[in-house]
Amino acid sequence: MSVLATPRPDAVRSAASSPVEFRLLGPVMVHDATGGADIVPAGSKQRALLAAFVTHAGVLLDVDRLAAELWDGADGAPPGNAANALQAHVARLRRLLPTPGDYGHVWISTLPTGYLLDLGGASTDVQRFTRRSSEGRAAVATDPARAAQILHGALELWRGPALQDCRRGPVCAAEADRLDEMRLTTLEALYEARLRCERHGECIGDLERLTADHPLRERFYDLLMVALYRSGRQAEAIGVYERARRRLVAALGIEPGPALRGRLESVLTHSPGLAAPVAPGVLDELDRLRRRVDELARQQLELTRRLNAATAGPQATGSQTTGSQAAGSQAVAR
């Protein structure tokens, strides 16, 4: 096996404008924006190989690890000529990938012990999702409306289960589990942001479905209890806790955790903390209005002072003039 040359620096700069995006959030494919084409490997092994490469882009994957990814599990043990079979799959995958252009970039390099995918300037939908999810979650407490918009956009990148039809091997299975967890965390942040925006009524149906789809995920029950309580449905909020408890005890033999127990206590005691928080933007507007009222009050005092001075001036002058005239008349009389 030959070692392919490392791309030149000018080649890397040219690759920076690559229109190619590797997609794992759903069926595994490559999107080429140049012609608007989606390249989907036909065979399951081709898709698994592409997914493993993209998951570990820039990292050498040795032959044994890739062979285990393609042939372990339901497909049985790797064949005796696994290295040759793998080489054939890599060759077919190379032919499927978009032509990288004339700048010398190579998608898949063959190294002495395995293979390496170099993204160059290409992107992945996982990268976009990760950036948006992180940005949105960071903004939930300070700007929930903006956070909800960003998180919704992140979740729209999903076209189905992560690494769909490519989850048999250990590499892809581990990545799929990681991405699934990130998606659920993003969903939790999205509904927290919407609750902070006082959109509790529209959250209830979605959260009911999420608790049904993920019956052991306590955070969804927590959010649903808040949404119901703020909608004036305290008894139903308590019922959600009881439902969560039954499911956890039946499946895992454990009681709900301290966060969910604390939420129940808040609902039972009508804790003020359950009220929708005032958005930071509202607090800023209140501060601005207070400052404006203070400024207007100062202006009113100043205008009142000037009006009093202007009104008192002519009266004082008139009094002085009348007094002078009276004195003059008395002098003439003498």
Side-chain angles (χ1 to χ4, degrees):
M1 297 181 182
S2 61
V3 179
L4 300 182
T6 302
R8 303 183 306 277
D10 56 335
V12 174
R13 284 194 294 272
S14 299
S17 59
S18 171
V20 176
E21 182 177 70
F22 293 87
R23 296 182 173 177
L24 303 182
L25 302 179
V28 175
M29 64 174 62
V30 184
H31 179 74
D32 187 356
T34 302
D38 289 329
I39 302 168
V40 183
S44 61
K45 287 185 173 57
Q46 289 282 295
R47 293 193 296 272
L49 182 61
L50 176 60
F53 277 141
V54 176
T55 296
H56 288 73
V59 176
L60 172 66
L61 293 175
D62 62 53
V63 171
D64 291 340
R65 190 176 185 186
L66 287 172
E69 188 70 18
L70 298 190
W71 285 284
D72 276 4
D75 290 335
N81 59 344
N84 292 336
L86 178 61
Q87 187 177 29
H89 281 298
V90 171
R92 283 195 289 272
L93 185 57
R94 281 193 178 113
R95 290 193 292 270
L96 280 176
L97 295 177
T99 303
D102 299 327
Y103 44 78
H105 174 66
V106 176
W107 291 119
I108 303 174
S109 298
T110 303
L111 302 174
T113 58
Y115 301 90
L116 180 147
L117 174 71
D118 180 7
L119 289 176
S123 62
T124 72
D125 57 354
V126 172
Q127 292 170 339
R128 286 200 291 152
F129 170 71
T130 302
R131 282 196 303 271
R132 292 182 187 180
S133 176
S134 298
E135 182 183 358
R137 285 184 284 114
V140 167
T142 57
D143 193 348
R146 175 173 168 270
Q149 182 179 15
I150 295 171
L151 293 166
H152 178 73
L155 291 163
E156 281 192 323
L157 295 174
W158 287 68
R159 298 165 289 108
L163 283 74
Q164 188 171 320
D165 301 328
C166 297
R167 303 168 73 124
R168 292 180 177 177
V171 171
C172 291
E175 178 67 2
D177 289 343
R178 185 184 75 85
L179 291 172
D180 286 343
E181 177 61 27
M182 283 184 61
R183 179 175 176 271
L184 292 174
T185 301
T186 303
L187 277 166
E188 291 169 351
L190 170 63
Y191 285 99
E192 179 182 349
R194 288 178 174 173
L195 288 174
R196 285 176 177 268
C197 294
E198 300 188 57
R199 296 166 60 183
H200 36 269
E202 66 186 70
C203 292
I204 292 174
D206 290 343
L207 289 169
E208 288 280 12
R209 286 188 290 273
L210 286 168
T211 57
D213 293 341
H214 307 281
L216 304 182
R217 193 94 180 178
E218 293 189 38
R219 180 60 172 151
F220 288 137
Y221 293 109
D222 187 343
L223 294 167
L224 178 55
M225 290 174 69
V226 173
L228 288 168
Y229 181 86
R230 290 181 183 171
S231 299
R233 298 159 65 176
Q234 182 193 22
E236 292 177 67
I238 297 170
V240 168
Y241 176 86
E242 294 301 330
R243 185 166 75 232
R245 180 182 177 278
R246 287 195 302 271
R247 288 174 175 174
L248 290 168
V249 170
L252 305 176
I254 60 173
E255 295 284 335
L260 201 57
R261 294 199 304 271
R263 186 66 72 197
L264 174 65
E265 180 67 21
S266 297
V267 169
L268 291 171
T269 59
H270 298 279
S271 170
L274 275 176
V278 178
V282 175
L283 294 176
D284 293 342
E285 178 66 8
L286 289 173
D287 287 341
R288 189 189 70 80
L289 290 173
R290 289 192 188 99
R291 289 194 299 271
R292 180 61 177 156
V293 168
D294 291 342
E295 180 184 353
L296 291 172
R298 287 193 297 271
Q299 291 176 357
Q300 183 181 16
L301 287 173
E302 175 62 18
L303 289 172
T304 301
R305 185 191 66 76
R306 291 170 61 185
L307 178 62
N308 291 338
T311 303
Q315 292 175 348
T317 303
S319 299
Q320 292 172 359
T321 302
T322 302
S324 298
Q325 290 175 346
S329 299
Q330 292 174 0
V332 171
R334 292 193 190 97

